[in-house]
Amino acid sequence: MNGTPPSPQSIQMHNQGIQYLQKGNEKEAADAFRQALSDNHNWIEPLLALAELALKPSGPIKANEQNKLRRALKVQASKINPDPRALYLLSRHAEQSGKMEKAVKLLEQLIRDAPSFDLASQQLAVLFLQLERWTEAEKLLCIQIKRHPNQAHLLLNLSVALLRQNRLKEALETAQEAMVHGSEDQKPSIHVNLGTIVQELGQRDEARIEYETALLLKPNHINALLNLGVIAMQEKQLSSAEDLFRQVLKLQPNDIRTHVNLAGALLLQEKYQEGWQCYEKRLQGSSKILNAPRGLSPWKGEQLSGSLILVHEQGLGDTFQFIRYAALLKEEGIRCYFYGPNKLHSLLERSCLLEGCISENDKLPEDAEAWIALMSLAAHLGASPRKPLITPMPYLSISEKHLNHWETILGPQSGPRIALHWQGNPDHEFTISRGRSIALATLSPLLDCAGIEWISLQKGPGSEQAQEGEFAGRWHKKQSNIDDAWCFEETGAILQCCDGLISSDSGLAHLAGALGIRTWLLLPWLAEWRWGKDGDSTPWYPNHILLRQENENDWSKPIKELKQLLTICNGTNI
């Protein structure tokens, strides 16, 4: 307590406010706390109570009063020995305003200043989960669980952090421990978490039971309904998935995850206009899928006098696929710059689609007027798999210097030269995306195709498989040189020296498509919306041949078809 002690009347009003809160009368509680604060402006207790009420979305504290409370909290937090609760609530208000990094910094400061204030560490772990900083969340939660063992909410959050790191066995054990110690009101969320984990383990029937149990305990549980919709998606029951996602949005209209999942269901059903509208919601979430350039507004399609910044988002394949639409914007007289990773710049600058490329640390062009996420161009232009708005193919190219360099290294061909890429980024493979990668050993029947020169273009995770099993020792004699080539221009040049690429659904398949390289694309049972539900071709890339699983998690049919195609191609000297 700071300053003059509160009057008996202030204490009475404050206590009355607490009693109102216990009865669920938030409006009356707020009035009592206001009166207590007006009687003694230096008393922190009613200020903290009001600041906590202001965090409730439909609470009794309006926007103008919330701003006053934040200013008062800042005053309290700036004192020499501030009450840690003031800093904590200030961070929660920053989080409520969407200022996630500010909230993180305030909590980190609080942890340094008051290490025993465990609520700060627990809330910071929650923020790290929202920001997809899984390892940092795990570290904080493990410390807190040591201090407070058997706390179900801590175990539940830890299981989420482990799940998102694909440590499914540990996640399951932790969630089961949370169930043992959970209270009745915590158990619906624990059932949902258990369902999510077993769903990732491929046990959908068990997952469905967990979600339905959660709904029995808590009807209209948002995450239970959402995950049942995802199961329907996985089973290609797209209409049912759509209905479940719409049911969630009636309960929680601003849920970003549900809008994105609904977008996938709609796009797979060729409901493109609404699908793109839902997909735009991805840009409103706390997940950092892109870094927008500062000082510019998002482009809504208005006429521009300056240049437009095309912002890289999510995977590299998305940029390779949608950078093509810079050509259509150029036809409309719009000057475009690419804003994204340096490793893409030299390749994209050769395309002549752009005025130039800039990274996050570069100064923006003086005439930069607005920005747009690259995958939003499809929505703006009305593109879809049915109407891809094809630009001249190929729209990316490799320099003659790089091409000559790799022609010299690889030398003359003794037979058809085929590149292999079997695994995408494991960090992007969850739930609906899980299963799109292939174990290299699964492709070993292709080795029966005599006379083929095999090249591995697998980098990073999955590349260790190249030296295992039947493919070990079967690679091109210059494979070590290829393994050392990480630049996309070099990768593109190697592809140009090949007769084709066999790939899982990954960024490399999009690079090959943009370069006009023949590609045999191996797709899981439920392919992503951009490849459609069926068919062996795609208007996005005329030189792609799509080979789809007939049964879930079974690659035998597409590999048998691929083996036949390679045999035919080998016989005709592809």
Side-chain angles (χ1 to χ4, degrees):
M1 189 184 302
N2 298 310
T4 307
S7 66
Q9 183 182 1
S10 294
I11 294 173
Q12 182 181 0
M13 293 305 299
H14 178 264
N15 291 342
Q16 195 173 69
I18 293 173
Q19 291 171 5
Y20 279 131
L21 274 183
Q22 291 170 344
K23 294 176 181 177
N25 300 328
E26 292 179 354
K27 184 179 182 302
E28 292 83 352
D31 289 338
F33 292 138
R34 290 188 190 103
Q35 184 62 51
L37 188 60
S38 68
D39 289 345
N40 190 320
H41 293 290
N42 294 319
W43 192 22
I44 196 172
E45 298 300 333
L47 169 63
L48 297 176
L50 284 167
E52 194 161 355
L53 272 174
L55 293 170
K56 296 181 178 291
S58 57
I61 311 297
K62 303 303 178 186
N64 59 341
E65 188 178 4
Q66 287 180 19
N67 292 332
K68 290 180 182 178
L69 290 169
R70 287 179 189 132
R71 288 194 292 270
L73 286 173
K74 286 180 183 178
V75 171
Q76 291 289 341
S78 66
K79 293 183 177 181
I80 294 175
N81 292 308
D83 189 311
R85 294 173 297 170
L87 262 176
Y88 174 77
L89 286 171
L90 199 57
S91 74
R92 294 298 310 277
H93 278 269
E95 178 188 345
Q96 186 186 58
S97 302
K99 299 174 182 177
M100 304 297 280
E101 290 304 323
K102 182 179 179 180
V104 167
K105 288 178 181 177
L106 285 167
L107 289 171
E108 288 174 337
Q109 177 189 337
L110 179 51
I111 291 167
R112 288 192 300 270
D113 295 345
S116 62
F117 191 76
D118 288 333
L119 193 57
S121 291
Q122 294 174 20
Q123 184 60 28
L124 183 56
V126 170
L127 283 185
F128 282 155
L129 291 177
Q130 292 177 19
L131 294 168
E132 300 182 3
R133 294 163 63 171
W134 314 118
T135 57
E136 293 166 280
E138 179 191 355
K139 182 178 178 181
L140 285 172
L141 288 163
C142 286
I143 293 170
Q144 286 299 306
I145 289 169
K146 283 183 180 178
R147 293 183 185 176
H148 308 282
N150 303 332
Q151 291 295 307
H153 71 284
L154 298 176
L155 292 164
L156 180 60
N157 285 338
L158 178 58
S159 71
V160 173
L162 295 169
L163 163 67
R164 296 302 296 178
Q165 295 175 76
N166 256 328
R167 291 155 59 185
L168 299 180
K169 182 179 178 182
E170 294 172 78
L172 182 59
E173 290 171 352
T174 306
Q176 288 169 336
E177 188 178 353
M179 181 63 78
V180 171
H181 301 292
S183 62
E184 290 305 310
D185 63 324
Q186 290 173 321
K187 286 190 175 179
S189 293
I190 301 173
H191 278 294
V192 170
N193 196 43
L194 281 167
T196 304
I197 297 165
V198 296
Q199 186 174 350
E200 292 293 346
L201 287 165
Q203 301 165 15
R204 287 205 292 269
D205 289 340
E206 291 84 348
R208 188 181 285 107
I209 291 170
E210 295 289 353
Y211 300 144
E212 289 172 350
T213 302
L215 289 168
L216 285 173
L217 296 172
K218 184 181 178 182
N220 292 331
H221 191 294
I222 296 296
N223 287 338
L225 291 168
L226 174 61
N227 290 356
L228 283 172
V230 172
I231 286 180
M233 280 277 287
Q234 290 177 300
E235 296 177 347
K236 289 188 179 180
Q237 298 173 5
L238 300 177
S239 179
S240 296
E242 179 185 342
D243 290 343
L244 282 160
F245 295 147
R246 291 190 189 281
Q247 187 177 341
V248 173
L249 290 175
K250 284 182 181 178
L251 298 167
Q252 198 162 305
N254 297 319
D255 192 87
I256 305 300
R257 305 161 303 163
T258 308
H259 278 288
V260 172
N261 280 317
L262 176 58
L266 292 169
L267 291 168
L268 274 169
Q269 294 176 86
E270 302 185 356
K271 300 176 181 179
Y272 297 117
Q273 184 174 359
E274 186 185 1
W276 284 126
Q277 289 173 354
C278 288
Y279 195 56
E280 285 299 286
K281 296 286 187 180
R282 76 197 184 282
L283 302 175
Q284 299 174 15
S286 60
S287 176
K288 200 73 173 175
I289 64 171
L290 58 75
N291 289 312
R294 295 181 179 179
L296 297 181
S297 299
W299 186 48
K300 304 298 184 184
E302 69 275 11
Q303 188 171 355
L304 298 175
S305 56
S307 60
L308 179 63
I309 309 299
L310 309 181
V311 180
H312 166 83
E313 58 169 308
Q314 302 183 76
L316 297 173
D318 297 326
T319 289
F320 292 139
Q321 180 174 9
F322 290 104
I323 197 67
R324 68 179 72 200
Y325 291 132
L328 299 182
L329 295 173
K330 192 173 184 179
E331 290 176 7
E332 296 178 12
I334 298 174
R335 299 184 302 281
C336 296
Y337 289 85
F338 172 74
Y339 183 88
N342 285 321
K343 60 186 176 182
L344 298 177
H345 287 191
S346 60
L347 179 62
L348 297 183
E349 283 171 346
R350 280 191 52 80
S351 67
C352 299
L353 299 171
L354 304 158
E355 299 295 314
C357 295
I358 48 182
S359 67
E360 293 174 25
N361 298 322
D362 294 334
K363 185 179 179 181
L364 292 174
E366 290 186 4
D367 70 337
E369 189 173 349
W371 68 271
I372 188 170
L374 263 170
M375 290 190 72
S376 293
L377 287 176
H380 171 73
L381 296 167
S384 67
R386 186 191 294 169
K387 182 188 172 186
L389 301 178
I390 292 298
T391 52
M393 295 289 293
Y395 52 88
L396 296 183
S397 63
I398 301 301
S399 69
E400 197 169 320
K401 173 186 172 183
H402 281 94
L403 190 56
N404 290 339
H405 172 72
W406 280 101
E407 283 178 342
T408 301
I409 290 177
L410 296 175
Q413 295 181 215
S414 60
R417 182 178 291 159
I418 305 296
L420 281 179
H421 187 260
W422 53 91
Q423 182 168 314
N425 186 342
D427 291 339
H428 294 169
E429 295 194 22
F430 279 92
T431 316
I432 293 175
S433 296
R434 191 179 289 279
R436 68 179 183 179
S437 293
I438 309 163
L440 177 59
T442 306
L443 300 176
S444 57
L446 302 181
L447 292 170
D448 293 339
C449 300
I452 292 179
E453 288 184 2
W454 296 103
I455 282 178
S456 167
L457 285 177
Q458 187 66 44
K459 308 290 184 184
S463 59
E464 71 284 351
Q465 298 173 36
Q467 302 310 317
E468 302 168 356
E470 295 182 52
F471 271 96
R474 299 292 297 270
W475 302 110
H476 192 282
K477 61 184 179 180
K478 296 294 183 178
Q479 183 63 51
S480 61
N481 300 71
I482 298 166
D483 291 339
D484 291 335
W486 286 78
C487 162
F488 280 110
E489 279 202 286
E490 289 193 277
T491 300
I494 295 167
L495 280 170
Q496 294 277 22
C497 294
C498 295
D499 295 301
L501 166 71
I502 296 169
S503 180
S504 62
D505 184 3
S506 67
L508 192 65
H510 289 285
L511 174 60
L515 292 168
I517 306 295
R518 182 204 306 256
T519 301
W520 294 277
L521 184 63
L522 294 161
L523 294 174
W525 187 69
L526 177 66
E528 200 181 11
W529 63 265
R530 71 190 83 202
W531 308 119
K533 292 182 292 186
D534 47 42
D536 60 4
S537 63
T538 171
W540 297 114
Y541 304 116
N543 288 333
H544 271 39
I545 297 172
L546 310 185
L547 300 160
R548 302 174 185 271
Q549 286 183 347
E550 185 175 50
N551 300 304
E552 193 171 5
N553 300 319
D554 180 2
W555 291 106
S556 58
K557 178 177 180 288
I559 289 174
K560 180 180 178 181
E561 292 172 343
L562 178 56
K563 188 175 178 180
Q564 292 172 343
L565 289 170
L566 289 177
T567 301
I568 293 169
C569 291
N570 195 359
T572 55
N573 298 315
I574 55 172

